[in-house]
């Protein structure tokens, strides 16, 4: 009798869909066997990048290969040929042409490091210049704006110093960032600028991971890196491959893991820069059916995950970034779009039946499962995160248990909840029962990344939390000493929202760069509509550095709460014990380990001697949003120890009354003193 998968054992409500869940599990097993029948393992199979593309051989000669089944002829062109198709640079079919692979072996003096090149592809009825699919370096001409591949063969390989690095991510505290907009000046930042100027800030802030966006080369800067053209090339607009490696190596030296935002959900439609019409056919890497080939919402092309050549390309891409750049894992973008034939568009996902109605892309699910298996084979401590909003069960469950194998999934409902609360509810209607339920409502067998806001909430057309709270008052009343009530409210709630979100994590926490100090305004990349301005595609670090502005208060609080949870190993795994929630008072309290988190969301009511229920003992304050150094009013005397008071009514439950002073719009964290036993 076949073993029942743990995902089905742990969730009886999935029983009606057992066939679908077991089917996707078997699909992955079958596909892995098929792919590894000759290679031996997924790790050995995922070596397309070592075969295709341009490589220098041991004797100094060059070999170049491209997969282009529809091509009738291919020639390397570039600086070395005067951009003309010369006979000595022509490729030949491999193995009689059945495989669709083309190859050229060139003498060592045929091309040189730094030279630009492309392939000129001929097909029946057409011809065009293309950038090779496996190009590892792509640059843009500053005058013509044309992209070309570039030979990158430094004489000395980069010398890594991180051989023994293993990330300590319990809990995982992620600083989401974008290299280009991380600088203060109006322009595009570099890997080196980030390494020397921003990385030290992240180290000081206490985060143990950075998640870098827009690494894969993309022709349009304003796409935020999500319309990828060259999947194996680190974006050259930020610097050289060695610059990126130096940044990652430096982060590792500070104990910081580096997660790459990888895009395998779609590709840019551009034919000159991307994979579209590489060999004259629109479906080389993409779907043959036009209705499935183009993404209806993203104006991009959708991979056909049912093709083994596409799996070869994408799995090798995962391996390439792990091995060549030492990334510690990936946040997979657009997973919802991959899981469903309709990309999850316009679907409510209100019941389990919505996940198993026949609309699931089983080929994509198989790819994601294999990708997770490969990544963890190559790097057991790797981190994989799914950006997924539908809530498909099993996404972040190990494959052996019947899941797809991600380590974490993004808790995308949490930022939506905070936005909805800020937009639609008066302060008096903030209910602790609703807040606690939203922050803790998740599958027990899947780890999530909780967050108040990511880059999504900061884009033009949306608003950051601080902007929703303070809005125009930010421009006039953020000076230290200014008693503007709108700003005071905003600062108080900004801290409380972040603390309650962090305190309830069951996996990790994420913050987008600058939001820790309430970065003002939105993100708007240069585009025609704003006159190609970089004014809003940057981070104003000077705001948090200035002693006369209140941004530093928010940053100091963020540092304190990050330090609090990071000092407690496996904080995210400690059970959350709800102690108190009373909507009439707007008070919430819960316990994790020896810490008690208490929130008074009331905008007007302060409570003296408020009697929470807690395990009997002595408690002291370890963090308070009301400290003046955090922009608070200093109303809480943190030197006072708090003693529980026995109450016969609650004795059977093993709790006592814990009287506390709770000022309005304030949160505090208490630590329960360890019980000391006297020696006989």
């Amino acid at each position: 009798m076949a073993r029942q998968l743990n995902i089905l054992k742990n969730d009886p409500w999935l029983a009606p869909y057992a066939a679908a869940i077991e089917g996707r599990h078997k699909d992955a097993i079958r596909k892995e066997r098929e792919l590894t029948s000759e290679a031996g393992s997924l790790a050995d199979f995922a070596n397309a990048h070592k075969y295709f593309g341009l490589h220098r051989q041991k004797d100094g000669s060059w070999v170049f290969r491209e997969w282009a089944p529809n091509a009738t002829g291919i020639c390397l062109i570039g600086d070395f040929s005067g951009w003309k198709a010369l006979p000595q640079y022509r490729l030949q079919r491999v193995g009689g042409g059945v495989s669709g692979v083309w190859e050229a072996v060139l003498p060592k003096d045929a091309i040189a490091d730094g030279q630009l090149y492309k392939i000129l592809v001929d097909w029946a009825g057409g011809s065009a210049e293309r950038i090779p699919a496996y190009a590892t370096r792509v640059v843009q001409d500053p005058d013509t704006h044309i992209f070309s591949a570039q030979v990158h063969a430094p004489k000395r390989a980069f010398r890594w110093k991180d051989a023994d690095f293993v990330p300590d991510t319990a809990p995982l505290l992620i600083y989401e960032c974008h290299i280009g907009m991380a600088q203060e000046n109006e322009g595009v930042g570099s890997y080196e600028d980030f390494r020397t100027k921003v990385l030290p800030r992240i180290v000081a802030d206490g985060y143990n991971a950075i998640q870098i966006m827009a690494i894969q080369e993309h022709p349009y800067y304003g796409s935020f890196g999500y319309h990828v053209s060259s999947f194996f090339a680190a974006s050259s607009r930020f610097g050289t491959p060695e610059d990126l490696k130096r940044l990652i190596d430096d982060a590792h030296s500070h104990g910081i893991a580096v997660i790459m935002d990888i895009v395998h959900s779609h590709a840019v439609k551009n034919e000159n820069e991307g994979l579209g019409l590489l060999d004259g056919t629109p479906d080389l890497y993409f779907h043959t059916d036009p209705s499935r080939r183009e993404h209806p919402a993203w104006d991009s092309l959708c991979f056909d995950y049912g093709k083994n050549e596409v799996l070869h390309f994408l799995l090798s891409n995962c391996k390439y970034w792990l091995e060549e750049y030492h990334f510690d894992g990936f946040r997979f973008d657009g997973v919802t779009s991959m899981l469903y034939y309709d990309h999850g568009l316009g679907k409510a996902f209100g019941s389990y039946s919505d996940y198993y109605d026949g609309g699931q892309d089983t080929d994509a699910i198989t790819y994601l499962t294999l990708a997770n298996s490969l990544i963890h084979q190559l790097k057991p401590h790797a981190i994989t995160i799914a950006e997924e909003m539908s809530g498909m069960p099993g996404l972040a469950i190990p494959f052996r248990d019947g899941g797809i194998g991600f380590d974490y999934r993004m808790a995308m409902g949490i930022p939506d909840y905070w936005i909805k609360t800020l937009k639609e509810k008066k302060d008096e209607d903030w209910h602790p029962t609703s807040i606690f339920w939203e922050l803790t409502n998740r599958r027990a067998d899947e780890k999530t990344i909780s967050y108040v806001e990511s880059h999504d909430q900061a884009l033009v057309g949306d608003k950051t939390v601080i902007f929703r709270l303070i809005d125009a008052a930010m421009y006039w009343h953020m000076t230290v000493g200014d008693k503007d009530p709108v700003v005071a409210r905003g600062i108080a709630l900004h801290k409380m929202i972040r603390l309650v979100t962090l305190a309830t994590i069951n996996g990790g926490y994420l913050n987008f760069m600058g939001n820790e100090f309430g970065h003002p305004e939105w993100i708007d990349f240069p585009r025609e509509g704003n006159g190609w301005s970089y004014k809003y595609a940057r981070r104003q670090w000077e705001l948090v550095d200035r002693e006369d502005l209140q941004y530093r208060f928010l940053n100091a609080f963020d540092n304190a709460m990050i330090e609090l949870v990071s000092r407690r190993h496996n904080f995210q795994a400690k059970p959350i014990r709800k102690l108190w929630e009373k909507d009439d008072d707007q008070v919430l309290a819960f316990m994790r380990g020896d810490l008690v988190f208490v929130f008074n969301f009331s905008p007007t009511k302060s409570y003296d001697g408020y009697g929470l229920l807690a395990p009997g003992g002595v408690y002291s304050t370890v963090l308070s949003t009301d400290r003046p150094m955090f922009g608070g009013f200093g109303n809480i005397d943190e030197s006072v120890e708090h003693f529980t008071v026995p109450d016969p009514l609650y004795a059977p439950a093993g709790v006592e009354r814990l009287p506390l002073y709770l000022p309005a719009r304030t949160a505090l964290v208490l630590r329960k003193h360890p019980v000391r036993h006297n020696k006989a």
Side-chain angles (χ1 to χ4, degrees):
M1 183 176 177
R3 174 183 67 89
Q4 186 184 30
L5 298 171
N6 284 338
I7 186 175
L8 298 171
K9 290 181 183 177
N10 296 336
D11 188 350
W13 293 98
L14 286 173
Y17 315 104
I21 293 170
E22 291 166 349
R24 76 185 186 194
H25 187 78
K26 292 174 182 176
D27 284 345
I29 293 174
R30 279 194 297 268
K31 181 57 70 173
E32 182 169 358
R33 285 175 181 166
E34 177 187 341
L35 299 179
T36 60
S37 59
E38 295 182 7
S41 70
L42 270 184
D44 293 325
F45 171 77
N47 281 325
H49 57 294
K50 296 181 180 180
Y51 179 77
F52 293 108
L54 180 66
H55 301 279
R56 189 193 289 275
Q57 303 190 98
K58 290 182 179 179
D59 63 0
S61 65
W62 300 87
V63 61
F64 176 82
R65 300 184 186 94
E66 191 73 43
W67 178 58
N70 188 57
T72 57
I74 300 179
C75 187
L76 273 174
I77 59 173
D79 295 343
F80 43 80
S81 68
W83 294 99
K84 295 179 181 179
L86 302 181
Q88 61 267 40
Y89 293 101
R90 287 203 171 274
L91 279 65
Q92 304 299 319
R93 293 182 185 272
V94 175
V98 177
S99 65
V101 176
W102 295 76
E103 178 185 81
V105 178
L106 306 169
K108 59 183 178 182
D109 60 352
I111 54 178
D113 181 45
Q115 289 186 315
L116 304 180
Y117 70 99
K118 291 185 179 182
I119 50 175
L120 179 62
V121 184
D122 299 319
W123 59 82
S127 177
E129 295 179 3
R130 295 287 184 256
I131 292 176
Y134 288 83
T136 57
R137 174 79 171 159
V138 175
V139 297
Q140 185 179 26
D141 186 286
D143 298 320
T144 65
H145 305 298
I146 293 174
F147 284 85
S148 301
Q150 185 179 47
V151 181
H152 188 71
K155 293 180 180 179
R156 292 184 180 179
F158 183 83
R159 294 184 179 180
W160 292 91
K161 296 177 289 186
D162 68 347
D164 300 324
F165 178 74
V166 175
D168 180 12
T169 54
L172 179 60
L173 304 167
I174 303 173
Y175 197 87
E176 185 187 35
C177 49
H178 182 285
I179 300 295
M181 62 171 290
Q183 87 299 335
E184 185 127 21
N185 298 325
E186 294 186 28
V188 179
S190 68
Y191 298 122
E192 187 64 11
D193 285 340
F194 191 96
R195 184 183 73 84
T196 59
K197 298 177 183 178
V198 182
L199 183 59
R201 291 181 182 272
I202 300 170
V203 173
D205 285 343
Y207 291 84
N208 59 21
I210 55 176
Q211 179 179 299
I212 310 181
M213 308 169 61
I215 290 295
Q216 294 166 293
E217 192 59 84
H218 47 289
Y220 179 44
Y221 186 48
S223 75
F224 231 139
Y226 291 125
H227 275 192
V228 174
S229 51
S230 295
F231 286 77
F232 289 85
S235 181
S236 61
R237 57 170 55 87
F238 309 134
T240 68
E242 287 68 35
D243 291 338
L244 176 56
K245 292 175 182 180
R246 197 172 297 110
L247 162 58
I248 295 170
D249 207 30
D250 215 7
H252 288 166
S253 72
H254 291 287
I256 294 178
V258 186
I259 301 166
M260 175 178 162
D261 205 343
I262 199 166
V263 182
H264 282 178
S265 48
H266 62 139
V268 73
K269 291 172 70 174
N270 300 33
E271 295 171 5
N272 292 332
E273 295 87 13
L275 301 174
L277 288 182
L278 183 75
D279 69 348
T281 56
D283 57 353
L284 182 64
Y285 288 93
F286 311 107
H287 286 286
T288 302
D289 182 352
S291 67
R292 294 197 62 198
R293 186 165 58 242
E294 295 193 14
H295 198 291
W298 294 349
D299 191 32
S300 55
L301 299 174
C302 299
F303 287 107
D304 184 349
Y305 305 101
K307 294 179 180 178
N308 286 353
E309 294 86 355
V310 172
L311 297 181
H312 201 200
F313 180 82
L314 295 176
L315 290 172
S316 300
N317 194 236
C318 295
K319 182 176 182 178
Y320 171 78
W321 292 109
L322 289 176
E323 293 191 341
E324 181 67 22
Y325 285 91
H326 290 206
F327 278 101
D328 299 295
F330 305 101
R331 177 245 195 209
F332 279 74
D333 178 71
V335 170
T336 305
S337 177
M338 300 171 71
L339 294 178
Y340 307 99
Y341 293 129
D342 62 4
H343 308 293
L345 298 172
K347 205 167 184 178
F349 295 104
S351 67
Y352 276 1
S353 61
D354 290 334
Y355 303 116
Y356 308 105
D357 59 1
Q360 293 69 45
D361 188 334
T362 54
D363 290 332
I365 292 172
T366 295
Y367 164 66
L368 290 170
T369 305
L370 296 179
N372 276 287
S373 294
L374 169 69
I375 291 163
H376 291 105
Q377 281 178 29
L378 294 169
K379 190 172 278 194
H381 299 287
I383 301 157
T384 59
I385 305 168
E387 189 238 8
E388 206 283 315
M389 52 74 61
S390 78
M392 175 180 277
L395 198 65
I397 291 176
F399 174 68
R400 64 179 178 273
D401 295 328
I404 294 174
F406 284 98
D407 296 306
Y408 305 88
R409 65 190 309 155
M410 301 291 288
M412 300 184 73
I414 292 177
D416 290 344
Y417 173 81
W418 286 123
I419 290 170
K420 185 177 178 66
T421 298
L422 290 168
K423 286 174 63 176
E424 300 178 4
K425 292 190 176 181
K426 297 183 296 184
D427 291 5
E428 293 82 0
D429 295 331
W430 286 33
H431 293 155
T433 54
S434 171
I435 293 170
F436 187 79
W437 186 88
E438 186 63 46
L439 296 180
T440 59
N441 175 37
R442 56 212 171 200
R443 296 181 61 84
D445 52 359
E446 299 193 56
K447 294 186 292 185
T448 59
I449 302 296
S450 299
Y451 58 109
V452 175
E453 51 190 343
S454 68
H455 69 275
D456 285 328
Q457 286 71 44
L459 291 167
V460 163
D462 207 335
K463 284 186 177 182
T464 59
V465 167
I466 197 67
F467 222 29
R468 290 189 184 280
L469 288 166
I470 301 179
D471 216 329
M474 295 190 74
Y475 299 115
W476 313 106
H477 299 290
M478 286 297 284
T479 305
V480 172
D482 192 317
K483 304 299 183 182
D484 183 82
V486 173
V487 171
R489 168 187 177 266
I491 287 177
L493 290 177
H494 194 270
K495 292 178 291 186
M496 295 181 72
I497 289 170
R498 274 167 165 67
L499 179 61
V500 73
T501 303
L502 173 60
T504 49
I505 60 172
N506 76 325
Y509 173 80
L510 177 142
N511 166 70
F512 179 66
M513 63 177 186
N515 287 352
E516 71 277 9
F517 66 84
H519 195 286
E521 300 172 331
W522 49 82
I523 298 168
D524 189 13
F525 281 91
R527 54 188 173 85
E528 187 175 2
N530 65 15
W532 303 103
S533 170
Y534 287 88
K535 182 177 180 180
Y536 298 110
R538 62 192 180 104
R539 296 284 89 177
Q540 300 178 58
W541 302 110
E542 60 127 7
L543 296 176
V544 70
D545 293 338
R546 285 175 54 176
E547 291 292 317
D548 63 325
L549 296 179
Q550 298 187 69
Y551 297 101
R552 63 183 176 88
F553 295 151
L554 295 177
N555 193 75
F557 179 74
D558 195 83
N559 291 177
M561 72 174 193
I562 291 292
E563 182 185 14
L564 179 71
V565 300
S566 62
R567 278 194 278 111
R568 283 160 170 79
H569 186 66
N570 273 332
F571 171 83
Q572 80 292 343
K574 299 182 187 300
I576 301 175
R577 178 182 177 183
K578 182 166 61 178
L579 301 177
W580 188 266
E581 58 179 2
K582 199 168 191 303
D583 288 345
D584 290 346
D585 298 337
Q586 295 184 272
V587 174
L588 171 67
F590 54 87
M591 191 170 190
R592 298 195 83 166
D594 62 349
L595 297 181
V596 174
F597 296 84
V598 186
F599 300 83
N600 178 12
F601 288 100
S602 173
T604 57
K605 298 177 184 177
S606 296
Y607 304 102
D608 192 8
Y610 194 93
L612 302 175
L613 297 178
V618 182
Y619 295 79
S620 57
T621 304
V622 293
L623 182 64
S624 166
T625 62
D626 196 48
R627 291 178 190 171
M629 66 179 294
F630 302 148
F633 299 99
N635 289 323
I636 295 176
D637 185 350
E638 296 188 31
S639 66
V640 174
E641 290 188 330
H642 304 277
F643 297 80
T644 58
V645 179
D647 188 328
L649 183 62
Y650 299 101
V655 292
E656 299 180 356
R657 287 283 182 183
L658 177 60
L660 297 172
Y661 173 52
L662 304 178
R665 285 200 188 113
T666 299
L668 64 154
V669 185
L670 308 172
R671 182 179 67 85
K672 186 178 185 295
H673 292 197
V675 176
R676 293 181 175 87
H677 298 283
N678 294 326
K679 291 183 179 180

